[in-house]
Amino acid sequence: MAKNASSSKPVAVRQRGVTMSDVAKHAGVSRTAVSFVLSNRENASISEETRARIAEAVQALGYRPNAGARALASQRSDWYGIVTEIVTAPFAVDIIKGAQDQAWLDRRFLLIAPSDQADALGPNQGMEDAATEKLLEQRVEGLLYAATYHRGVHVPESANEVPTVLINCFDADGRLPSIVPDERAGGRVAVERLLQAGHRRIGVINLDPDIPAAVGRVAGAREALADAGLELDPELVVAGYATADGGYDAACQILDRYPAKERPTALFCLNDRMAMGAYDAIKERGLAIPGDIAVIGFDNQELIAAYLRPKLTTVALPFEKMGALGVQTLAALTAGQPITADQQLVDCPLLERSSV
């Protein structure tokens, strides 16, 4: 019986740990000449023929520069570090995409160190400290600290060793610059859209009333109503605490509190999960969206907003833009340039679908 293994050939594996001295020996030149060529030393008098031999040796041997040694020598690297819980919370993953894309444009690279997702007890501070230390050991030029949801955070003390920028969160100690969504403007644009559609009695399904997103979005809603000569009826504001079940319960309270003629004709849900619950409450009562009641959400969680029926009009959190702006701000800081503000607000655009 023929054996397939007898006709196979061993796979060639490039030698690891090739040094500049190996390249110099292969090219028949000095190690100094190799160093000058690989570092693009402009004032080095090295012929084109020698440069070509060195390039051929680098290719043949598979030489790679020692990034750690180069960073030690120059006190610079091409790396930014990002400490984030987002790798375990895909909703906000576009922060990483925006940061990566902008870093690539700047000829920089991201090292991502995951931390535990924050919960009711707060973040895993020990894991965040360890992640920050590990990135600093790699001699990153600066740090990004990104959160899944907008909140105040306490950044590990060691982050102060390099320029650091916070994304989708802010420094509770007031020391570090941050990039956050303009929650107030987002709430305003949502209610302005409902007012444009002719709605005057608008219910609000709130998040936890004390978190920054809730405070800002409700304030924006109040401003939009005030500009139209209206007030936000406190009886029409019910907390759903960010969950679909909470949104359902809050919508039931709002819809059942009034007779049909006094019932609100629109609901502003401060996230898309609560809007999904509100859809169920509305439909259980034989009401149509948007014919009887219009609905606007917030966040643009695509797996919810684009697949509800009718599709949900919502305000998008600008995750990708915040990630890109975080890298731009970090690049300015590492270059010693001043930044315009300690906290930069990023617009939250309205995405029209079919629920208004």
Side-chain angles (χ1 to χ4, degrees), residues 18 21 35-36 39 77 118 121-122 127 175-176 188 209 213 224-225 229 231 242 284 303 317-318 321 344 348:
V18 178
S21 296
S35 177
F36 284 175
S39 63
S77 71
L121 299 177
M127 190 171 183
R175 298 173 300 176
L176 299 172
R188 184 183 182 96
L225 288 167
E231 291 184 0
E284 280 182 1
L303 289 178
L317 281 171
K321 189 171 181 179
Q344 299 180 65
C348 301

Side-chain angles (χ1 to χ4, degrees), residues 11-341:
V11 177
V13 179
R14 277 185 168 179
Q15 178 184 352
R16 294 183 63 85
V18 178
T19 66
M20 279 195 193
S21 296
D22 296 327
V23 173
K25 183 176 180 180
H26 189 282
V29 300
S30 70
R31 186 188 181 284
T32 300
V34 174
S35 177
F36 284 175
V37 169
L38 295 183
S39 63
N40 294 317
R41 183 90 166 254
E42 294 180 359
N43 59 351
S45 300
I46 299 174
S47 69
E48 289 303 318
E49 187 269 337
T50 299
R51 291 178 184 272
R53 293 212 314 272
I54 292 172
E56 185 276 329
V58 166
Q59 180 68 27
L61 297 177
Y63 171 78
R64 289 189 179 92
N66 186 322
R70 185 170 57 189
L72 278 170
S74 66
Q75 295 301 305
R76 288 178 59 87
S77 71
D78 294 328
W79 296 94
Y80 293 147
I82 178 168
V83 178
T84 182
E85 71 214 16
I86 292 170
V87 291
T88 58
F91 168 41
V93 73
D94 279 347
I95 285 179
I96 295 177
K97 181 182 185 303
Q100 283 182 322
D101 289 349
Q102 184 62 47
W104 180 252
L105 290 175
D106 295 343
R107 297 296 187 265
R108 292 289 188 272
F109 302 90
L110 287 185
L111 285 174
I112 301 173
S115 62
D116 275 353
Q117 185 173 356
D119 55 25
L121 299 177
N124 183 333
Q125 195 63 50
M127 190 171 183
E128 289 188 350
D129 290 345
T132 303
E133 286 292 341
K134 183 59 66 175
L135 290 172
L136 292 173
E137 287 175 10
Q138 308 307 309
R139 296 192 175 270
V140 293
E141 290 189 51
L143 285 172
L144 301 167
Y145 183 106
T148 305
Y149 66 92
H150 184 181
R151 65 183 190 271
V153 298
H154 294 280
V155 179
E157 192 67 31
S158 56
N160 292 301
E161 295 178 19
V162 294
T164 299
V165 176
L166 279 56
I167 304 175
N168 202 34
C169 54
F170 58 91
D171 183 5
D173 300 317
R175 298 173 300 176
L176 299 172
S178 60
I179 315 294
V180 296
D182 192 340
E183 310 281 11
R184 193 183 194 107
R188 184 183 182 96
V189 74
V191 172
E192 284 176 343
R193 177 66 186 91
L194 294 173
L195 291 168
Q196 288 171 2
H199 299 283
R200 293 296 179 269
R201 192 156 170 78
I202 299 170
V204 174
I205 299 182
N206 203 358
L207 300 161
D208 179 333
D210 296 325
I211 65 173
V215 172
R217 294 173 197 181
V218 172
R222 291 184 191 279
E223 287 180 0
L225 288 167
D227 286 349
L230 302 170
E231 291 184 0
L232 180 59
D233 184 346
E235 294 293 316
L236 292 179
V237 181
V238 179
Y241 296 97
T243 68
D245 285 343
Y248 171 84
D249 291 339
C252 289
Q253 290 184 49
I254 292 172
L255 295 175
D256 293 344
R257 185 169 287 166
Y258 303 97
K261 290 184 178 180
E262 297 177 21
R263 190 169 52 210
T265 61
L267 293 177
F268 172 31
C269 303
L270 269 62
N271 79 4
D272 293 345
R273 283 177 298 204
M274 295 190 300
M276 180 168 61
Y279 265 47
D280 289 340
I282 292 167
K283 291 177 180 179
E284 280 182 1
R285 285 153 179 78
L287 302 172
I289 304 169
D292 296 312
I293 297 184
V295 181
I296 281 186
F298 207 113
D299 290 348
N300 191 36
Q301 293 191 43
E302 190 171 352
L303 289 178
I304 296 175
Y307 291 97
L308 286 174
R309 292 296 179 268
K311 295 181 179 182
L312 179 65
T313 294
T314 188
V315 179
L317 281 171
F319 289 123
E320 192 168 334
K321 189 171 181 179
M322 286 193 292
L325 186 55
V327 170
Q328 291 171 359
T329 303
L330 189 57
L333 290 173
T334 56
Q337 300 170 2
I339 57 174
T340 57

